[in-house]
Amino acid sequence: MPIFDGTLKKRSSIPKPDSVIKEAKTKFSQAKVKEILADYHLAVESREASLLGRKEVFMGKAKFGIFGDGKEVAQIAMAKVFRNGDFRSGYYRDQTFMFAIDALTVQQFFAQLYAHTDLEADPSTAGRLMTGHFGTRTLDEAGHFKNLTEIKNSSADISPTAGQMPRLLGLAYASKLYRNNPALKAFSNFSINGNEIAFGTIGNASTSEGMFFEAINAAGVLQVPMLTSIWDDGYGISVPQEYHTTKSSISKALAGLQRTETEKGFEIIRVKGWDYPALIEAYQRAEKICREEHVPVIVHVEEVTQPQGHSTSGSHERYKSKERLAWEAEHDCNRKMREWILNEVLILPEEVEAIEKEAKQAAKEARDRAWRAFVEDVRKDQHQVSAILEKAERLGTNAEEVTNLRNELVTAINPTRLETMRAAKRALRLLRGETGEAKDELIAWLRVAEADNFQRYSSHLYSLSSQSGLTVEHIQPQYSESSSLVDGREVLQSCFDAALTNNPLVIAFGEDVGKIGDVNQGFAGLQAKHGELRVTDTGIRECTIIGQGIGAALRGLRPIAEIQYLDYFIYALPTLSDDLACLQYRTKGGQKAPLIIRTRGHRLEGVWHAGSQIGMLLHSLRGIYIITPRNMTQAAGFYNTMLKSDDAAVIIECLNGYRMKERIPDNIGEFTIPLGVPEILREGSDVTLVTYGSMCRVVMEAAEELENVGISCEVIDVQTLLPFDRHHAIVESIKKTNRVVFADEDVPGGATSFMMQQVLEEQNAYQYLDSAPITITAKEHRPAYASDGDYFTKPNPEEVFERVYALMVEVDPDKFPSLY
Ligand SMILES: Cc1ncc(C[n+]2csc(CCOP(=O)(O)OP(=O)(O)O)c2C)c(N)n1
Ligand SMILES: [Mg+2]
């Protein structure tokens, strides 16, 4: 019986130790021998999966292969100390680890290689990511968290190397909070006393990335249970170690992090990737330090090999010397483990061979099952369409061409869905002008297939659960005579105070957020009130501030992670875009990280404190809601909305709004604002002005002055750019005014273009326009620091006035004579 049965994995019965040990002289107990042999079985089966996987690519059955060969033994050792509740954040070499913790079957491994889009077949990504991208499903089918302490968890991999590191920090940070904050003890579905370790894996070459250093430094500062393994094969694709790492050794380069008797830091352990007993011992030691003491540990696994080279895209013979290749063959971890089993455990060679045979056979069978399931699934469509085409041939028109289409379809060797779709669409072209049952059937098939393919390839960009940001109930702010007029920042402060009071899972962190309560005092006094674990300062490290939030949110916490200014988003953008924005999508709803990112932008002073790079966010952050409140009351309402939702969001406060006076709602902690619902700030009949954020005030000022000259403006604050005007309120306004202006502080062609596309195309507004639509934006450069630099760089009331006035000059030059 194979080790893995392909669906529910069960360890097979390994031959009884007493029958396989040479003259029963081994120093190992029977139970230990059994464990060692099971480990070896797994190492061989995983290796075979890599070898077979490569062959599948070369046979054209899969597009690309990247495998974990050469890392089997180290990963088996790591898996031994990985417990329920723990999390992995790793990369594409970790198949053996995933097998070992029972989070992946060999059949699923092959299903992913073939990109089988069925969720059962590939629960990590449902065919959405290339092979070697692992992840467990932390959510149930309804999108709610499972009990994470009862399962072994892996966060979802991404391809950018080192991209797993920021998230790893957050996964570890969560344990610190769960251990040290007594109010969190009740959340035993997320953590048991913070005992969980976050296990990271990374390749040696990828440790050169800034994200790696940023995350490692932060983990040392925070003292969190983060156990990072570095698989060091001496290369990053073709580039040898000396190009990557100071002293050609990451553990030497990081030696200054090593904790001492008097200073906190890391425990750094070095071990060879082929030395099974040393690896077991190393990981046991690492686990104990990390789990019990919450000290971060680096395990530098050296002398790792890559028997098949980096990936199926090239061969390593091109860049490795004969000597290196010979050394790798000699130090192959499976080979070394085999020698050790024969020489030290004293197992009979024939028994070792029997295990190898069984393991290899198991891998082959898993491959065959995965391929059969994949082909069967894809062929369903193919059979349906070919049967309809057969009937369509009888319609007469273009019969020969329809037959040709069908023949092409049924003879495709490795069919894909696109071939079937293409055949159906081409057939409909041939049948244009025809009527008949076959044609109706084909159209019906197409409709169903399009819906199915949407589910396969495009679903889950945002949450689809009952807690989706789109479903949060709208609660109006309430005001009474006692509602006081305060600085905008105090509105936020009350909102955050209520959020921290109402939900122990809420935490806030960022640069200057803790002690002084952020640079604009939105959290002023809240650290003193709610404690340092809830409201805390971080180092200057935008990328890992986001990672800290993602990891914590993956483990059930409700972080508000602050990026001090919108201009510094650029430092965090890789993690936001590659990791957070696509999390729900790339797991097809298997994981969520409801992280709120707080920042401030639009208008203040100079190049790096007045940015409004909204187009950049819209382009790179689909999957995260983008919220641009015009004042702090709106911001508070959106924080309340997002804290009730399980979607991620960026909330951009207006930098110049913290001292403006606002009335604080009596229900500051409860009221919510719906996403994607614009607000009409001023009604008018001549022109619709669409804007958001700080520009609302500028546009309102211009609108008042325009009113004085007889031009009536309807001003709309879109409030949230993603989602954008869900109920198409803007087109309704344009039906009335027949003119539209889009205004913001981004570059020309930035977010105004997005709004224009949404309104003219999505909302079909072009048909109601009597004048060309216009955009009013900032200049292409960032704002100069001079006191009037902002005025001359960004749209000001005079510019808005003149652009709108010019629009009306065109409409009625008699009524509106040119200004100059
Ligand atoms: C940010 C980023 N840059 C480049 C790549 C392309 N790439 C994929 S793997 C790889 C080499 C990684 O080497 P290493 O970290 O040592 O891992 P190994 O494959 O050797 O285990 C590179 C450059 C990538 N995926 N991500
Ligand atoms: Mg490497």
Side-chain angles (χ1 to χ4, degrees), residues 578-744:
D578 290 329
D579 198 356
L580 182 61
C582 64
L583 177 65
Q584 293 245 4
Y585 174 79
R586 74 178 190 271
T587 59
K588 203 177 180 185
Q591 295 187 7
K592 64 180 174 186
L595 170 62
I596 297 173
I597 301 117
R598 176 187 188 218
T599 191
R600 45 188 78 85
H602 305 318
R603 271 173 199 252
L604 194 68
E605 296 291 353
V607 178
W608 286 283
H609 298 88
S612 194
Q613 303 90 335
I614 307 291
M616 173 182 85
L617 305 188
L618 289 171
H619 286 135
S620 54
L621 301 185
R622 301 294 165 102
I624 302 175
Y625 288 132
I626 297 183
I627 300 173
T628 47
R630 65 179 178 278
N631 60 32
M632 302 311 158
T633 310
Q634 299 304 103
F638 284 120
Y639 281 112
N640 290 339
T641 298
M642 293 318 301
L643 283 167
K644 288 186 174 179
S645 129
D646 64 3
D647 272 298
V650 174
I651 300 183
I652 304 162
E653 297 162 15
C654 298
L655 253 171
N656 57 359
Y658 294 107
R659 299 226 183 102
M660 293 196 183
K661 298 289 180 199
E662 297 183 28
R663 281 184 81 205
I664 186 164
D666 299 343
N667 57 345
I668 182 70
E670 277 84 49
F671 83 102
T672 57
I673 304 181
L675 302 181
V677 179
E679 193 174 318
I680 297 177
L681 302 183
R682 182 190 173 100
E683 293 199 2
S685 53
D686 291 326
V687 54
T688 300
L689 301 178
V690 182
T691 191
Y692 59 87
S694 294
M695 275 296 286
C696 289
R697 283 195 293 276
V698 175
V699 170
M700 285 296 277
E701 195 181 323
E704 258 169 51
E705 290 173 15
L706 285 158
E707 188 77 53
N708 294 337
V709 297
I711 297 170
S712 163
C713 297
E714 181 136 309
V715 179
I716 300 183
D717 174 7
V718 300
Q719 305 214 78
T720 67
L721 286 154
L722 293 177
F724 186 87
D725 188 9
R726 289 162 63 206
H727 310 302
H728 294 192
I730 299 172
V731 68
E732 291 308 315
S733 171
I734 294 173
K735 279 183 193 169
K736 187 170 66 172
T737 61
N738 308 114
R739 272 170 273 281
V740 65
V741 174
F742 299 94
D744 79 353

Side-chain angles (χ1 to χ4, degrees), residues 366-399:
R367 173 201 59 188
D368 294 343
R369 282 194 302 273
W371 179 250
R372 271 199 306 276
F374 170 67
V375 172
E376 231 168 71
D377 194 6
V378 180
R379 289 233 191 252
K380 262 185 236 153
D381 277 3
Q382 192 199 22
H383 291 322
Q384 282 170 355
V385 169
S386 87
I388 303 173
L389 292 185
E390 201 172 351
K391 282 195 221 164
E393 286 164 16
R394 289 182 228 127
L395 288 176
T397 318
N398 296 322

Side-chain angles (χ1 to χ4, degrees), residues 91-93 159-161 203-206 209 233 235-237 306 310:
Y91 79 117
Y92 49 79
R93 297 284 179 213
S159 293
T161 66
N204 57 299
S206 302
E209 291 279 7
D233 69 330
Y235 285 84
I237 310 187
Q306 230 166 71
H310 177 75

